[in-house]
Amino acid sequence: MKKYIIMIVIAACLIMFVPKLLSNAFTDLSEPKTQQEFTLTLVSTGQDITVSAEDYLVGCLFAQIDVSYHIEALKAQACAAYTYALRLLQEGRELSDSTSYCQPYFTPADAKEYYGDSYEKYLPAVKEAAAYGAQHPIYYENKPIYSVYHSVSTGATARPEYIWGLNLPYLASKSCPDDMQYEALYTSKEMTVDDMRRLLLYYDPTLQMPLDYSQWFTNIKRNENGYVLTIDIGGKTVSGGEAWRALELRSTSFDISYNGSFFAISNYGCGHGAGMSQYSANAMANRGQSAKEILEYFYDGCTVK
């Protein structure tokens, strides 16, 4: 179980290129119709498949969240995944299983291979949650929202301005004290100079990195919850979200320093930090809160239909 939970929480944080999607965040969309089926592209094969909304959400849940979570947390995640897909389609965008440009999705074959014997164990709850999610989109001012989500916060969720450069009023910072109990809240790793240089130059080939490696990352500014607002990289000031994407970090709450041999990277939480914390959603569900209550807490001023 632990083996694939680790993979799921990583997958859940990898909706990285939301800026391309959020450019039309406040376009005037008419009241959306219920979406009964979805067509998406499987990136590995290039194949387009069409599945029912419920089957799509089954695949999303297996790919996005720890499916041993409380049923109300699974329902909340299903609503978020459904609404996110619905919003993209309302803007004429295409769906895929790409974690960079859409959201994670497992085909039934992928899910069975990944979960093994646990697949059948959790399938009934996943189906129940998917059925609920397909009937309960999340709206803000009569529009489906960008219902982003992440695995676990730093104790409060992040505002989206320094992640994607836009202000979305329904993504207010929300307190998540339960997240402080997450077993792997803090993680660390080391990266070689060559690997770091490769990532940085792929992000921006014009960066001028000093010969003193300790000066590659300077002037980190954070908010009160530890999320990086801006950081200077090679003399260029970038947002915490840009650094998170460019360096393939686990979280937008991070620290980077050179220890004389490697770059030491520490992370708090898992994911971009905006929207719903899945870990807190599960804790709230275990205390008796419904999926609707969970969603309307994390997505400020929204209504679950």
Side-chain angles (χ1 to χ4, degrees):
M1 181 71 178
K2 184 176 290 185
K3 176 182 67 175
Y4 58 74
I5 289 175
I6 294 172
M7 295 301 296
I8 291 170
V9 296
I10 292 173
C13 78
L14 288 178
I15 303 176
M16 296 182 122
F17 290 95
V18 175
K20 296 185 178 182
L21 310 177
L22 293 182
S23 59
N24 295 319
F26 296 105
T27 52
D28 184 16
L29 300 179
S30 59
E31 185 86 5
K33 298 179 181 179
T34 302
Q35 188 77 25
Q36 298 297 326
E37 62 181 24
F38 292 101
T39 298
L40 67 153
T41 301
L42 303 180
V43 174
S44 61
T45 63
Q47 178 187 7
D48 291 336
I49 63 170
T50 299
V51 295
S52 70
E54 291 186 20
D55 286 345
Y56 174 69
L57 293 178
V58 167
C60 286
L61 288 170
F62 274 121
Q64 294 170 2
I65 191 171
D66 177 354
V67 292
S68 72
Y69 277 178
H70 193 285
I71 185 63
E72 292 301 314
L74 297 184
K75 288 179 179 179
Q77 179 62 32
C79 292
Y82 177 73
T83 305
Y84 192 84
L86 185 62
R87 180 63 191 238
L88 300 191
L89 290 179
Q90 287 291 309
E91 293 187 352
R93 302 184 184 274
E94 296 181 354
L95 301 183
S96 74
D97 60 352
S98 167
T99 57
S100 294
Y101 294 98
C102 190
Q103 61 182 343
Y105 168 85
F106 278 168
T107 66
D110 291 338
K112 289 175 184 178
E113 179 180 0
Y114 195 78
Y115 285 87
D117 294 340
S118 296
Y119 174 81
E120 295 295 339
K121 175 183 177 181
Y122 292 112
L123 184 59
V126 169
K127 283 186 172 181
E128 179 182 346
Y132 179 88
Q135 297 299 319
H136 295 86
I138 312 160
Y139 287 59
Y140 182 82
E141 295 182 347
N142 295 320
K143 303 176 184 69
I145 68 169
Y146 283 105
S147 44
V148 294
Y149 48 87
H150 59 283
S151 297
V152 60
S153 76
T154 63
T157 62
R159 294 282 302 150
E161 288 88 346
Y162 290 92
I163 305 172
W164 301 299
L166 287 174
N167 175 23
L168 296 175
Y170 49 80
L171 295 183
S173 179
K174 294 292 184 175
S175 178
C176 299
D178 294 296
D179 286 355
M180 303 305 292
Q181 305 304 314
Y182 185 67
E183 182 179 1
L185 185 67
Y186 170 83
T187 58
S188 62
K189 67 176 184 178
E190 293 182 333
M191 186 179 295
T192 67
V193 172
D194 287 343
D195 285 343
M196 183 65 77
R197 182 184 290 110
R198 175 181 55 81
L199 289 175
L200 290 174
L201 293 181
Y202 181 79
Y203 162 69
D204 184 350
T206 68
L207 286 177
Q208 298 295 317
M209 309 310 298
L211 293 177
D212 183 353
Y213 302 145
S214 67
Q215 296 303 303
W216 282 20
F217 302 98
T218 59
N219 197 27
I220 297 181
K221 295 181 179 179
R222 310 174 188 279
N223 72 1
E224 64 276 13
N225 300 118
Y227 294 106
V228 173
L229 304 179
T230 59
I231 180 173
D232 290 350
I233 302 178
K236 177 181 179 179
T237 300
V238 304
S239 71
E242 287 179 288
W244 168 64
R245 290 185 288 274
L247 302 180
E248 302 173 0
L249 301 175
R250 187 172 185 264
S251 168
T252 54
S253 176
F254 60 86
D255 194 20
I256 304 176
S257 61
Y258 184 67
N259 63 16
S261 301
F262 300 92
F263 284 99
I265 304 171
S266 58
N267 286 272
Y268 294 87
C270 183
H272 47 64
M276 182 175 66
S277 162
Q278 295 172 332
Y279 189 82
S280 276
N282 186 55
M284 294 166 72
N286 283 324
R287 288 195 294 271
Q289 291 182 262
S290 67
K292 184 175 187 294
E293 291 171 326
I294 292 167
L295 292 167
E296 292 183 350
Y297 175 74
F298 282 109
Y299 302 113
D300 207 32
C302 291
T303 300
V304 180
K305 296 295 184 178

